[in-house]
Amino acid sequence: MALEAARAAWAGGMTVRRPDGSTVPIPLVAEPEVVPDAVLQAAAREARLVLSGAVKLARALLAEGDARDREALLGPFEGLEREAMQELFAAPCPAVFARVDWLLPAGGGPPRALELNATIPAMPGYADLAAHAWLRAAARARGRSPREAAALVAACGSHMENLRRALVGFYRTRGGAAARPSIALVARPGDAQVGELQRLAEHFRQMGHRADVLTPAECVPEAWEVLYRHVWAHNTDPAAPFARALREPGRHVLANPVNGLLEAKALFARLSECAEEPRLARAAGLDAEERAAAGRLPFTRRLDARLAAQVIAERERWVLKRSWDYGGKSVHLGAETAPAAWGEVVRAAAEDQRGGGFVAQERIFAARRPATRIAPGVVARGELYRDLSTYTGLLEDAPGGSVVRAAASPVVNILGGGGLAPLIPESVYHRL
């Protein structure tokens, strides 16, 4: 059954493209992640509070923060990316869609947020492919009819449809009147996640939209009613037609504008500080719910010489992350590092202030559970870590839903060898 599900998901686009142009299926975990509906709903509420709090705080820090704050938020960027980011808070919406990544503590309790992803909150298509393929295969294995299988898939929900509704909702807030606006999905040439992008475009077309996957050189922004950005500004030629939309987000329905500063780990650290610094929270204009959400974040602080001594002494308690990086790079886990080497890593990180330097974050230890990982020609049993990622946004039609990644390493990343576990709401699973 699980192999049938994996093959269906791969055929639908649950793949990544390698730099050499070859396509590789993303492994599927045979055992689904069955999550209580109440937990998913709580994660959606919390994700929105984390995002809204981060946006308010970023705006305040750019206007009134110190030089260290501004360097952390703008220092990592240059060229077109920095130029476009100057327009972020003049844009109609800084984050139409975003994703908060969590870990489920091994000892139990609610998910704990690790970071915010606002530039390319990927995987809505992958999430549908994994969950829907598993449900259809499981329904067949249990003798259910195609109609019953379709009902289970519908009850599970669709991340792709949530995204489509969010894009159309944003278009409506901008005064758009077309029932099915055209949507350009813009990605760099050879994008690793082209399989997902093609599946998204297919879904949009099935729902009546004109939709295509285009590169920045191919996308003339004035020819499209909605622009779905799946490309970093630093991977966009400043002379490409699409660069016009990045520079002037107010003239286009662009989701998202160039907003990489919202992903800065230093911003996450400052949001964590708001729980203990009422003055900072007031300056940002956080409401009571946003302040409470900040207090539920793992303790996260910008690394400096004073904090470094504590981080060295309490090695197993801490994770170090470069403020501006992505894909699990520049992450150092104290518990997995020898004491002598850890001291060297921490001291070097404290001295390295490039791009906002590093942050130290309280380690959330996730459970590692037995799992069956299915890849082409390989079915392997092992112990895998799993995380949870929840979609959100700032508008009323915010996308929702969650996706689960799994890997042998505690730093879970799809492009780094991880896989996807089908996420099935508990109410749907009990109907099988």
Side-chain angles (χ1 to χ4, degrees):
M1 183 203 85
L3 183 57
E4 174 191 342
R7 287 172 174 161
W10 298 336
M14 200 175 84
T15 60
V16 293
R17 176 186 284 172
R18 287 176 169 166
D20 64 7
S22 61
T23 299
V24 180
I26 296 172
L28 181 75
V29 176
E31 299 82 7
E33 186 77 8
V34 180
V35 182
D37 296 56
V39 171
L40 294 174
Q41 292 160 7
R45 290 192 297 269
E46 192 82 348
R48 187 168 181 130
L49 292 171
V50 171
L51 173 62
S52 62
V55 169
K56 289 179 179 180
L57 180 58
R59 189 194 304 265
L61 293 177
L62 286 177
E64 303 173 5
D66 59 23
R68 186 180 181 188
D69 285 322
R70 289 190 290 275
E71 172 60 22
L73 297 181
L74 293 176
F77 308 106
E78 58 186 15
L80 174 62
E81 194 157 34
R82 188 179 181 110
E83 177 188 354
M85 214 169 308
Q86 303 288 343
E87 301 299 316
L88 177 58
F89 293 111
C93 181
V96 177
F97 53 92
R99 197 186 75 216
V100 174
D101 296 339
W102 324 78
L103 281 180
L104 296 167
R112 303 291 302 280
L114 299 185
E115 58 190 42
L116 173 65
N117 185 315
T119 297
I120 303 177
M123 300 189 294
Y126 291 156
D128 280 4
L129 288 165
H132 295 176
W134 188 91
L135 277 171
R136 290 190 179 99
R140 275 192 291 272
R142 289 162 171 76
R144 300 298 182 87
S145 69
R147 176 175 290 185
E148 289 173 313
L152 289 168
V153 168
C156 187
S158 169
H159 300 78
M160 293 188 295
E161 179 60 9
N162 291 343
L163 174 59
R164 186 194 72 84
R165 289 176 179 172
L167 294 174
V168 174
F170 181 40
Y171 169 75
R172 295 273 184 268
T173 68
R174 301 294 311 283
R180 293 289 187 268
S182 59
I183 304 173
L185 300 89
V186 188
R188 64 183 174 88
D191 192 288
Q193 295 169 324
V194 68
E196 173 172 63
L197 292 168
Q198 290 171 341
R199 180 66 191 92
L200 281 170
E202 180 184 359
H203 176 75
F204 295 164
R205 288 192 291 268
Q206 288 171 341
M207 297 303 294
H209 301 265
R210 178 170 69 94
D212 235 330
V213 179
L214 304 172
T215 66
E218 295 168 334
C219 179
V220 177
E222 295 81 5
W224 296 88
E225 289 161 304
V226 178
L227 302 170
Y228 172 80
R229 182 172 71 90
H230 188 94
V231 62
W232 295 95
H234 63 253
N235 285 330
T236 300
D237 185 336
F242 183 62
R244 293 197 293 273
L246 302 186
R247 291 188 177 99
E248 298 183 284
R251 293 186 56 191
H252 304 273
V253 182
L254 174 65
N256 280 331
V258 180
N259 63 0
L261 64 85
L262 297 178
E263 296 188 14
K265 310 301 187 296
L267 176 62
F268 195 93
R270 295 288 269 159
L271 187 60
S272 173
E273 283 183 52
C274 286
E276 299 179 3
E277 296 289 343
R279 190 173 180 179
L280 179 61
R282 285 194 301 271
L286 301 191
D287 63 27
E289 288 187 303
E290 290 162 340
R291 291 196 300 272
R296 291 186 289 269
L297 298 176
F299 184 92
T300 310
R301 294 293 185 270
R302 298 175 293 178
L303 184 66
D304 55 22
R306 178 192 55 79
L307 180 58
Q310 180 182 355
V311 172
I312 291 172
E314 301 172 351
R315 173 178 58 86
E316 295 187 356
R317 180 190 169 195
W318 296 98
V319 179
L320 293 184
K321 300 178 179 180
R322 183 176 286 284
S323 177
W324 174 246
D325 214 337
Y326 55 93
K329 296 173 285 187
S330 302
V331 175
H332 305 280
L333 307 177
E336 277 74 26
T337 306
W342 180 246
E344 294 177 6
V345 167
V346 174
R347 284 186 286 270
E351 294 176 1
D352 185 352
Q353 294 302 309
R354 293 173 298 163
F358 280 76
V359 303
Q361 186 174 78
E362 170 195 355
R363 174 77 179 269
I364 304 300
F365 287 91
R368 192 170 59 164
R369 307 200 308 271
T372 307
R373 183 176 180 271
I374 302 174
V378 179
V379 177
R381 290 283 294 171
E383 299 277 326
L384 298 181
Y385 295 96
R386 303 188 187 199
D387 69 3
L388 178 74
S389 297
T390 299
Y391 298 98
T392 188
L394 292 176
L395 300 178
E396 183 177 350
D397 290 308
S402 296
V403 61
V404 171
R405 297 174 291 186
S409 166
V411 180
V412 181
N413 182 263
I414 288 292
L415 300 182
L420 283 174
L423 191 157
I424 310 298
E426 191 173 67
S427 61
V428 176
Y429 185 78
H430 288 330
R431 291 171 54 181
L432 265 174

